[in-house]
Amino acid sequence: MSTETLGPLHGIRVLDLGTMIAGPVAATLLGDFGADVIKVEQPQGGDPIRQNGAQFEGEGLWWNVEGRNKRSVTLNLRASEGQDILRKMVTHADVLVENFRPGTMARWGLDYERLRAVNPKLIMLSISGYGQTGPYAPRAAYDRIGLAFSGLLHVTGQGDGPPLRPGTAVADYQSALMGAFAVLIALYHRDAKEGTGQHIDTSLYESVFRFTDIMVTAFDKLGVARKRQGNMHFAAAPGDHFETNDGRYLVLTVSSNSVFQRLCDAMQRSDLIQDPRFATHIQRWNNIREINSIVAEWIRSAPVTTIIELLEKHGLAFSLVYSAAEIVEDPQYAARGSIATVDHPRIGRLIMPAPHPKLGGTPAPPLRPAPALGADTCPLLAELGYTQSSIDDLRQRGVV
């Protein structure tokens, strides 16, 4: 088979021990590009994401998005025999992903030092709330806790209201992205630089904190503590989520004088260029409410199609705030193949975000549906030398 069929990560085996989002999604990102991802789940119930969120005919939709391109093995890691089986699996693995609370893997005898003794080339990715070290390492943490501790929640929301969480699990997904990125760095070091395996330690809060731009830098050098300002941002003046005349919202931001000139041309308001309140970006930011009010009035004054035509004509960056209904109907999503289709053997066609990014020479292979719990236990144990009778015995005793 060609690389285009198999994917650029074909030949890399990943053991996904994670639960819910951050760890498993890191493995999903690798699986999207051809890695052989083996999902290791508890025999009873499996990963909680199977039951979490929206269900269709008994199938968890969240699981079916993030469980794609994986094989499922059930294994009781709390049992010594289950731990022995995992060590055998590690001998054939390149990467192990886990997002348990720090110390859990060590209690099971599956910490990195002991697994490295089995396979010195193993790369182990550990994702936790606060990392493997530091005074808060033992604390439990989830997505929203990572958002809070990173400082992001403090600056999200209206100035006169409470902090607001984003509409998706941002800390989990950013940690998954950073984790997958780290795994690729470690694989490159191991395979292209003749290195060894290594342990990767990343956390929810640090994955979000890395994307807080100059928040702490400005505080340190200028004593400026950023506060919640709703939809306003110092790099966008004018800038807001402006209501359209049909009740939707349009995002428009202007960050330079030349772009402001084009906006004024689109609005047919050349007088604004001469207004000392709006002559420079700093002056526009100092008068942000006034300039936003003027732009808001213009956007509400005409049909959305007219406003969009004018914004496009003058080369301005903008977007309507899209709902799921608008996403699935939009020609840009269709043209780019941004939405993938998976044929599920029991519930039929499912649409979901396609693999990303797009690689011109080594694209992602076709998606495979998420597996049923334990669907691949027998063949994978057979690979390790277990007979059918021994597998049946392990299953009867709750090991698999």
Side-chain angles (χ1 to χ4, degrees), residues 7-137:
L9 295 181
H10 175 69
I12 299 296
R13 176 168 285 191
V14 179
L15 302 182
D16 172 12
L17 275 61
T19 61
M20 286 298 289
I21 312 173
V25 173
T28 301
L29 294 173
L30 299 171
D32 280 352
F33 288 91
D36 176 21
V37 180
I38 300 172
K39 176 77 174 173
V40 179
E41 305 181 71
Q42 288 294 325
Q44 299 300 319
D47 190 333
I49 200 174
R50 288 180 178 270
Q51 290 80 42
N52 201 289
Q55 306 279 311
F56 180 81
E57 295 183 1
E59 284 282 343
L61 297 183
W62 204 352
W63 159 250
N64 275 283
V65 172
E66 304 307 354
R68 69 195 193 189
N69 295 329
K70 298 183 182 183
R71 297 191 282 167
S72 173
V73 172
T74 54
L75 195 59
N76 184 358
L77 295 177
R78 295 178 177 85
S80 60
E81 286 178 287
Q83 295 158 10
D84 289 339
I85 293 171
L86 185 77
R87 292 187 192 96
K88 293 178 181 178
M89 294 173 69
V90 163
T91 64
H92 302 282
D94 297 282
V95 180
L96 184 147
V97 177
E98 63 92 10
N99 62 338
F100 299 109
R101 198 184 301 192
T104 301
M105 294 289 284
R107 287 197 303 274
W108 293 339
L110 301 173
D111 54 286
Y112 181 68
E113 291 305 315
R114 279 180 272 195
L115 294 180
R116 184 174 67 174
V118 174
N119 180 359
K121 288 188 171 292
L122 180 71
I123 294 163
M124 180 169 168
L125 169 64
S126 294
I127 302 177
S128 59
Y130 297 93
Q132 303 294 308
T133 60
Y136 300 163

Side-chain angles (χ1 to χ4, degrees), residues 184-224:
L184 295 178
I185 293 172
L187 285 169
Y188 180 77
H189 170 75
R190 187 193 72 178
D191 298 342
K193 302 292 187 180
E194 299 182 355
T196 61
Q198 60 183 295
H199 188 198
I200 300 165
D201 172 12
T202 190
S203 69
L204 297 181
Y205 89 86
E206 287 168 307
S207 297
V208 178
F209 178 64
R210 176 59 185 86
F211 293 97
T212 55
D213 58 68
I214 64 168
M215 189 172 72
V216 297
T217 310
F219 174 74
D220 177 57
K221 302 302 287 186
L222 303 173
V224 176

Side-chain angles (χ1 to χ4, degrees), residues 79-396:
S80 60
E81 286 178 287
Q83 295 158 10
D84 289 339
I85 293 171
L86 185 77
R87 292 187 192 96
K88 293 178 181 178
M89 294 173 69
V90 163
T91 64
H92 302 282
D94 297 282
V95 180
L96 184 147
V97 177
E98 63 92 10
N99 62 338
F100 299 109
R101 198 184 301 192
T104 301
M105 294 289 284
R107 287 197 303 274
W108 293 339
L110 301 173
D111 54 286
Y112 181 68
E113 291 305 315
R114 279 180 272 195
L115 294 180
R116 184 174 67 174
V118 174
N119 180 359
K121 288 188 171 292
L122 180 71
I123 294 163
M124 180 169 168
L125 169 64
S126 294
I127 302 177
S128 59
Y130 297 93
Q132 303 294 308
T133 60
Y136 300 163
R139 289 185 179 180
Y142 301 103
D143 176 81
R144 197 178 304 202
I145 286 81
L147 292 171
F149 193 70
S150 72
L152 182 64
L153 279 189
H154 181 72
V155 297
T156 304
Q158 297 296 334
D160 58 353
L164 292 177
R165 68 172 292 273
T168 63
V170 170
D172 277 320
Y173 278 97
Q174 285 189 190
S175 298
L177 181 61
M178 294 293 269
F181 172 61
V183 165
L184 295 178
I185 293 172
L187 285 169
Y188 180 77
H189 170 75
R190 187 193 72 178
D191 298 342
K193 302 292 187 180
E194 299 182 355
T196 61
Q198 60 183 295
H199 188 198
I200 300 165
D201 172 12
T202 190
S203 69
L204 297 181
Y205 89 86
E206 287 168 307
S207 297
V208 178
F209 178 64
R210 176 59 185 86
F211 293 97
T212 55
D213 58 68
I214 64 168
M215 189 172 72
V216 297
T217 310
F219 174 74
D220 177 57
K221 302 302 287 186
L222 303 173
V224 176
R226 193 181 303 178
K227 300 178 181 179
R228 292 187 290 282
Q229 299 185 91
N231 296 322
M232 291 188 292
H233 188 271
F234 62 86
D240 205 343
H241 303 172
F242 298 100
E243 188 173 8
T244 63
N245 75 346
D246 64 353
R248 289 187 286 174
Y249 286 88
L250 185 145
V251 175
L252 177 68
T253 65
V254 173
S255 57
S256 71
N257 292 336
S258 61
V259 176
F260 184 63
Q261 172 75 63
R262 296 203 300 271
L263 176 60
C264 292
D265 292 343
M267 297 169 62
Q268 296 185 329
R269 290 292 305 271
S270 59
D271 59 297
L272 296 176
I273 299 294
Q274 309 304 321
D275 192 317
R277 296 175 299 169
F278 312 133
T280 68
H281 182 83
I282 292 176
Q283 289 166 320
R284 289 191 295 276
W285 174 245
N286 290 336
N287 296 281
I288 185 65
R289 298 190 185 281
E290 290 86 343
I291 190 60
N292 273 356
S293 179
I294 292 169
V295 174
E297 183 178 354
W298 173 69
I299 288 175
R300 283 195 302 266
S301 70
V304 177
T305 53
T306 300
I307 298 297
I308 287 176
E309 287 173 3
L310 288 167
L311 293 172
E312 286 186 335
K313 177 182 176 181
H314 290 86
L316 289 147
F318 71 92
S319 177
L320 289 168
V321 176
Y322 266 31
S323 67
E326 289 164 315
I327 286 172
V328 299
E329 296 294 334
D330 190 86
Q332 179 68 17
Y333 277 85
R336 296 271 298 168
S338 304
I339 299 174
T341 300
V342 175
D343 291 320
H344 190 280
R346 199 174 72 79
I347 59 175
R349 173 179 170 272
L350 290 171
I351 65 170
M352 61 187 67
H356 190 77
K358 298 183 183 299
L359 281 67
T362 53
L367 295 182
R368 292 177 286 110
L373 179 62
D376 305 285
T377 301
C378 286
L380 281 164
L381 289 183
E383 286 182 18
L384 298 176
Y386 289 85
T387 64
Q388 187 59 55
S389 60
S390 62
I391 294 172
D392 291 341
D393 178 62
L394 290 169
R395 180 173 284 116
Q396 186 174 12

